[in-house]
Structure formats: C-alpha cells, structure tokens
Amino acid sequence: MRTYLLTFCAILFLGCLEKSSDLILEDTDKKLVLVSILSSDDVLQIRVMHTISPLDTSINNTVLNADVKLFENNQFRETLLYSTNGYYKSSSGFRPTRGNKYYFNVVAPGFNSVETDPVIIPDTFSLKIEIKDSIYIERLGGSDAPTYIEALFRFNVSHSLSSENYFYLLEASSTFEKGTSRDFFRLPALYDGFSQISCNVYHLGSKIIYSSTCLTKSPFIQLDANGSTYFKRLGKLRKIDGQISIINEAYFKYLRDIYFQQLIPQDKLFFQSFNLHSNVNGGIGIVGVKSSQKLNLSF
Amino acid sequence: MEHKEWNWFLNYTLSKSIRSYKEIQNGGWFNSPFDRRHDISFALNWKRDKRWEFGFLWEYYTGNRISIPTSGFNDPLTGVRVFSYSTPNNFKLRDYHRLDISATLHSKPNSRNRANTWNFSIYNAYNRKNPFYIDIESFGFPQSSFKLYERSIFPLFPSVGFSRNF
C-alpha cells in the first residue's frame, strides 16, 4: 500500500512539473495550389489557391490576381479569367477535346510561377457497366437494434482505353424514404490493388444521403447501400444515384494519398511525414482527367 | 583535469546524421530524427575543505528533430485539410541546455567512525523550459483547426539528500 501511495505521489508530482507553451508555425513553404479535373463534358476550369500555415483555420486562400494560361497540344490557347469561388474559367466556355494534351502555366505576385505536367483527355472512350448481381435484404436487428436494409450490387466495368494507367472512380449516394435519428460516417474505400472492391453507402435516418467514393483499378466493383431505421420502423431504399468514371494515374494517386492521410490518427497527423502526389511543378495540387458515366438505380 | 581541490571535464561531440530511402523524396537526403549537431557537457567540482564540496554541471545539445507540416490547404475536391511537408524531420525543437549545481556537506566521523553526508542540489538551476515533446489539440470536424503545444518537464528542481556511513 505504501509503495502504491508513493508511486501515486511521485506521478502526481512529476505531472505537476510539466509546463507547456504555444508553438507558432508559419507557412515557411508558401506555394501555389492548383486543382483542376478535366473532362470533355465540362467547361474547363481550374482552382487557384495558395498554401496556408498548417495551423491556420481560415479557408479563404484563393488567389484572385493570377495569370492563368492554358496550353493545348503545346500551343498557347487562352488566358483563363477569374470567375467565382476561386475558379478561373475559359471565357469562351471551352471544353477539353478528347485526344488532346493540356497543361497550365500560372504566375501570381508573391509566388513562384508553376506549370503542370501535361495530361491527355482519353481519345476513344466508352465505358460499359454491367450489373452482375444485386441483393436486397431486410435484416431484423436484435431486441433494441434497428432494422437494417442492405442492397448489394456488383458491377463489371470495362472501358475501351488501352492504357493500363487508368483507374475507376465510383461516386454514389442513395436515398431512403423513412426513419429518423442520427447519421454516421464511414470513410470511403480506396484501394489500388486488384482485389474485389467494396464501396459503402450507409444511412441511418430519413432521407439522409451520404456519398461514398470508391477508387480502384479492379474492373469488378461492389457497392453496398446500407440503410437503417430507428425503433424498428422499416425504411425503404428508393434509389441509388452515382457515376463511374475513368481517371488518370496522377488523379488516382492524389486521391489515394489524401485518403491515407485521413487514416492517420489526428494526434499523430502532424508528426508523420506524408507525401501528397502532385503534378504541379513548383507548386502543389493536381490536374486530373475524368470521363464519367451516370448510374441510376431505382426501386 | 585535476588541480588539488579542483576537478573538471569538458566533452564536445560534433555529429551529423542523415538518411536516404529510395521510396521517400525520390531518394533525396534528409535529416535523421537523431541528428544532433552539437553536444557539450561541462562539469566542475570544487572541494573547498574537508567538509564542503561544490559541483556544477552544464549540458547543452542541439534540439531533436521531428516532422511537422510546413503548409496546408483545403482540398476542394474532398473538403479535407491536406498538409504538406518539405522533408521528413524538417522541424528542429529548441536547443536543450541546463545547469545543475550541488553542495555537499561531510560531517566529521564520530567515535564509532560513522559519518553523515548532506547533499543540497538544484537541477535546472536557471529554470530553462527545455522542450520534451510536442502535443497537438484539434478542434472541430473534420480537422478544422489545430493548436500545437511544446511540453517541457523538470523546471527548477531542488532536492536534499542525506546519507550515513556505517
């Protein structure tokens, strides 16, 4: 008993000796951040921001006075103009052309000029989605457990691109019509292996929509829509909306790295050196390529 | 070195520790977490007479290295706050140094040849807040803001010791 008491007093005493002081971090590595996902279906636009101190809570880091030049097949095409929400857009409503190569050159006062690696919009593109099987299950929970509804879909996806350096991105949300109470989150499933991939869309409550993102190289994609109601009132899965896209390797690596960063516990996040893939030379960010096809499943 | 009642020593180490991995920073060199450029220790002991003895110990070494992001931004595609690191172990904690002083009083042995010794010492005499580790607190979800704290332990720390020879 005496030993325990002494140990307790020693720990208490040593704990009292600890002092702490705030640590101020400046953004010592200030860079331009460029983010743009090019698609032949959308008007070309690019987000131009700058990095901020890791401890800075502000989110307004848009660069408003940048000179953003777009190059197509190594020829200057046009200067993009600032539009809204931090985006610079093509004034002519230009949409990237399939098979062409694009890159950006951005100059902004107070920053080093940056240039992105060239990216090519896939030329002959056709995406084929085939539902292999689907299961719709109403599961009874335990005594106090809510009733679950699970809808499971397996897709076989193929595309016409010959290159190996393209990946699949599935973004999905689903709608349940009944139920109440709370929502919960689940991190999207992102893998770069060749195994079976599962993407989850979870619900708990009335018409709560939670989007899930799934990133894979596998042509075999599994989507789980999992809804639940409280107090055993059965909800009903009404529909699943989504899109399956083909993305390039740089965009894939960028999303994968962000996902891995999210997996790091918050108390360790600051102290684990972490690489974010970027194809912006002299800056940070991503210029990716995406070609999408809609997915609508109604019940 | 010894000069009658004076004893002292001085140690100095100069070192550099760097690492390179093919998978990190494209094989570039970066500082090891154990990169400690300077390490100095100086000790002085003065035996004033048969009863009193005084000691001084001063230690200094370059601060340890840890990885801390140099910048960040909010990714518009995912809404996640993303951090950017220049190199691993890019941040050097403040240098460590402290002074310990002590005074020792030897009593005369009694008739049964038993002697007492009293020791009075102060650890970290000038109350230097040496960094021990970095702590982080986050507020909001997901990762909306952070605050970093530099924690230090053992400020000025007096102690008294007693020993008896049998």
Side-chain angles (χ1 to χ4, degrees):
Chain A
M1 183 65 193
R2 197 174 161 190
T3 311
Y4 288 127
L5 195 65
L6 282 171
T7 309
F8 175 75
C9 290
I11 291 170
L12 195 69
F13 178 64
L14 290 173
C16 292
L17 293 177
E18 186 181 85
K19 301 284 178 194
S20 67
S21 51
D22 289 3
L23 193 67
I24 309 297
L25 289 182
E26 299 295 329
D27 181 2
T28 54
D29 196 22
K30 211 164 189 174
K31 292 174 181 172
L32 283 176
V33 182
L34 307 184
V35 177
S36 177
I37 305 303
L38 305 182
S39 164
S40 57
D41 302 326
D42 302 318
V43 173
L44 188 141
Q45 62 177 10
I46 185 168
R47 181 89 189 257
V48 181
M49 304 173 287
H50 63 80
T51 56
I52 52 178
S53 161
L55 299 176
D56 194 342
T57 57
S58 68
I59 55 171
N60 186 18
N61 54 341
T62 298
V63 176
L64 299 170
N65 53 353
D67 181 32
V68 183
K69 288 188 168 63
L70 171 68
F71 292 82
E72 183 179 29
N73 292 332
N74 296 324
Q75 301 289 319
F76 171 71
R77 182 184 167 84
E78 66 174 295
T79 298
L80 304 187
L81 301 176
Y82 182 75
S83 174
T84 51
N85 300 325
Y87 281 95
Y88 288 74
K89 287 185 179 175
S90 163
S91 56
S92 58
F94 171 71
R95 291 164 194 256
T97 310
R98 283 180 179 166
N100 285 358
K101 187 165 71 174
Y102 295 93
Y103 70 90
F104 298 92
N105 181 286
V106 179
V107 178
F111 298 94
N112 291 331
S113 66
V114 296
E115 193 165 280
T116 66
D117 288 342
V119 290
I120 299 172
I121 310 294
D123 191 1
T124 52
F125 169 75
S126 72
L127 184 65
K128 192 177 169 192
I129 306 167
E130 178 193 352
I131 298 179
K132 294 292 287 182
D133 45 16
S134 62
I135 304 167
Y136 191 92
I137 312 168
E138 293 175 1
R139 289 188 189 277
L140 292 174
S143 56
D144 290 327
T147 306
Y148 285 94
I149 298 166
E150 287 182 10
L152 173 72
F153 296 91
R154 281 190 272 259
F155 306 98
N156 222 344
V157 188
S158 59
H159 61 78
S160 56
L161 301 173
S162 59
S163 168
E164 287 186 350
N165 298 327
Y166 287 94
F167 296 79
Y168 299 103
L169 173 68
L170 169 64
E171 296 161 285
S173 65
S174 51
T175 308
F176 281 72
E177 71 176 7
K178 267 190 179 179
T180 54
S181 79
R182 60 199 167 89
D183 192 4
F184 65 93
F185 294 90
R186 187 184 168 96
L187 281 171
L190 298 170
Y191 302 93
D192 60 351
F194 291 87
S195 57
Q196 178 179 310
I197 299 302
S198 175
C199 311
N200 301 287
V201 181
Y202 273 71
H203 291 257
L204 191 62
S206 175
K207 293 183 181 177
I208 292 170
I209 298 169
Y210 169 59
S211 297
S212 171
T213 306
C214 180
L215 188 63
T216 172
K217 192 156 190 170
S218 167
F220 189 69
I221 299 176
Q222 178 175 313
L223 170 67
D224 276 309
N226 191 331
S228 174
T229 59
Y230 234 4
F231 308 119
K232 294 194 174 183
R233 281 185 292 166
L234 202 63
K236 188 178 180 185
L237 179 62
R238 296 183 64 184
K239 60 177 181 174
I240 293 177
D241 297 316
Q243 62 178 21
I244 296 180
S245 309
I246 302 290
I247 61 173
N248 64 337
E249 188 171 6
Y251 183 24
F252 165 80
K253 287 181 174 175
Y254 178 81
L255 288 175
R256 180 200 58 188
D257 289 349
I258 288 177
Y259 174 67
F260 285 150
Q261 180 179 301
Q262 286 183 291
L263 291 182
I264 300 171
Q266 287 210 355
D267 58 335
K268 294 187 174 62
L269 180 61
F270 260 62
F271 312 118
Q272 288 203 356
S273 182
F274 164 81
N275 274 329
L276 176 68
H277 183 81
S278 170
N279 59 1
V280 179
N281 301 307
I284 194 167
I286 190 70
V287 174
V289 168
K290 182 166 98 168
S291 293
S292 307
Q293 187 165 314
K294 297 261 185 247
L295 174 71
N296 300 110
L297 300 166
S298 297
F299 302 91
Chain B
M1 185 180 173
E2 194 171 335
H3 181 264
K4 291 184 180 176
E5 62 272 7
W6 291 91
N7 284 296
W8 64 274
F9 71 79
L10 174 67
N11 289 329
Y12 173 69
T13 308
L14 174 68
S15 65
K16 185 177 174 69
S17 174
I18 53 176
R19 288 178 174 177
S20 170
Y21 299 99
K22 202 165 60 178
E23 301 81 14
I24 302 175
Q25 302 273 329
N26 297 319
W29 291 97
F30 60 89
N31 290 308
S32 142
F34 309 106
D35 181 44
R36 187 175 284 176
R37 192 75 71 251
H38 307 287
D39 190 335
I40 305 169
S41 58
F42 174 69
L44 177 67
N45 192 265
W46 176 39
K47 200 168 183 178
R48 199 187 74 163
D49 51 36
K50 287 184 177 176
R51 296 196 69 197
W52 283 101
E53 205 175 313
F54 298 93
F56 304 87
L57 171 69
W58 186 72
E59 280 197 349
Y60 169 93
Y61 54 78
T62 309
N64 290 331
R65 289 196 163 270
I66 58 172
S67 297
I68 279 189
T70 46
S71 59
F73 68 95
N74 295 295
D75 175 52
L77 301 172
T78 58
V80 172
R81 170 66 70 93
V82 182
F83 296 111
S84 166
Y85 300 77
S86 53
T87 56
N89 308 316
N90 59 328
F91 189 82
K92 187 175 81 65
L93 294 175
R94 285 185 298 124
D95 294 344
Y96 179 101
H97 55 88
R98 70 163 211 270
L99 173 70
D100 304 337
I101 55 177
S102 67
T104 308
L105 173 63
H106 303 280
S107 67
K108 286 182 182 174
N110 61 14
S111 55
R112 287 187 290 178
N113 204 26
R114 288 180 180 172
N116 297 336
T117 304
W118 285 91
N119 180 270
F120 308 93
S121 65
I122 301 176
Y123 178 92
N124 194 4
Y126 51 83
N127 195 23
R128 159 84 175 172
K129 288 180 182 172
N130 287 305
F132 190 65
Y133 67 97
I134 302 288
D135 200 9
I136 185 168
E137 280 183 15
S138 60
F139 308 92
F141 178 85
Q143 307 157 5
S144 55
S145 66
F146 295 93
K147 196 160 190 180
L148 281 182
Y149 298 97
E150 191 179 68
R151 308 281 194 201
S152 56
I153 57 173
F154 300 127
L156 186 143
F157 192 96
S159 65
V160 178
F162 173 76
S163 63
R164 184 178 175 88
N165 294 333
F166 295 95

